[in-house]
Amino acid sequence: MTNAWRVRLRPGTLDDADLLDSWAASLEARGPFNDFGEPRGRSYRDMLAGGPLLDENHGELVIERIRDRERIGTIGWHAVWNGPNHESRAWNFGISLIPEARGHGYGVEAQRLIALHLFATTDVNRVEASTDVDNFAEQRALEKAGFAREGVQRGAQFRAGTYHDLLVYSRLRDDSE
């Protein structure tokens, strides 16, 4: 892939709050693999009033199409620990694209960009993502973004009234681009 990116990742602002709140309220916008049946927490307007959604253990960025500055989704991450020491920390991320943006390769680019960003701005060795075993589009996107499929986490996610198996993918700092 060349560096002629079609999307960029940027911190959300109060100007994004109403749109982000509408996406969070819409099952269609979230998609079936991001519906956990939980009540909405704080609004984006409330959260963004305190500044960008970034701290030392998690973050969330807006995915914006470059050619028209259209906001097409979000990508967020949080710290996971594979041991008690700092060096065992990794980032686990998730992505959500609006329906019109799906299937155009924007998710592939955003996932590649988040890995590059997290490796450039933190000292972690591992960036990972997991997806439902039935989410074939996301599996393809992660593989195109350079993530290696590692295996299955059985019954790891409770969604839609039942437990679901997840496929785990990762990139390591020294994986080739």
Side-chain angles (χ1 to χ4, degrees):
M1 171 178 243
T2 67
N3 286 336
W5 303 106
R6 297 176 304 146
V7 300
R8 75 174 125 242
L9 307 179
R10 64 165 178 80
T13 68
L14 278 173
D15 289 339
D16 300 310
D18 291 338
L19 179 63
L20 296 176
D21 279 330
S22 72
W23 290 348
S26 167
L27 175 57
E28 181 183 9
R30 287 191 320 267
F33 296 106
N34 286 326
D35 180 22
F36 294 92
E38 296 179 344
R40 289 185 58 210
R42 291 177 55 206
S43 71
Y44 275 96
R45 179 156 302 286
D46 289 344
M47 291 187 293
L48 288 167
L53 303 178
L54 303 168
D55 68 28
E56 66 277 358
N57 288 315
H58 57 12
E60 185 172 358
L61 298 172
V62 171
I63 303 167
E64 185 176 84
R65 195 168 45 217
I66 291 172
R67 70 175 159 82
D68 57 4
R69 301 190 60 171
E70 184 73 22
R71 297 160 293 183
I72 61 172
T74 60
I75 194 162
W77 66 93
H78 63 275
V80 293
W81 297 86
N82 297 301
N85 56 337
H86 176 79
E87 293 80 8
S88 296
R89 182 181 66 152
W91 296 116
N92 181 287
F93 73 87
I95 187 170
S96 182
L97 292 177
I98 59 172
E100 311 79 76
R102 296 176 193 152
H104 300 284
Y106 300 130
V108 172
E109 287 190 30
Q111 291 174 129
R112 189 178 292 260
L113 284 168
I114 198 62
L116 293 171
H117 168 74
L118 293 170
F119 287 137
T121 60
T122 70
D123 62 354
V124 299
N125 185 55
R126 176 184 172 87
V127 175
E128 64 183 43
S130 55
T131 189
D132 192 281
V133 295
D134 293 328
N135 191 346
F136 303 114
E138 176 61 357
Q139 293 167 38
R140 284 189 305 275
L142 285 164
E143 290 166 3
K144 287 180 182 179
F147 286 79
R149 180 175 167 169
E150 294 184 331
V152 177
Q153 287 182 308
R154 297 178 324 132
Q157 187 177 84
F158 189 79
R159 182 176 34 79
T162 188
Y163 286 96
H164 295 261
D165 294 347
L166 298 176
L167 292 173
V168 179
Y169 289 81
S170 73
R171 284 195 63 177
L172 301 181
R173 182 175 291 279
D174 63 357
D175 285 346
S176 61
E177 176 57 24

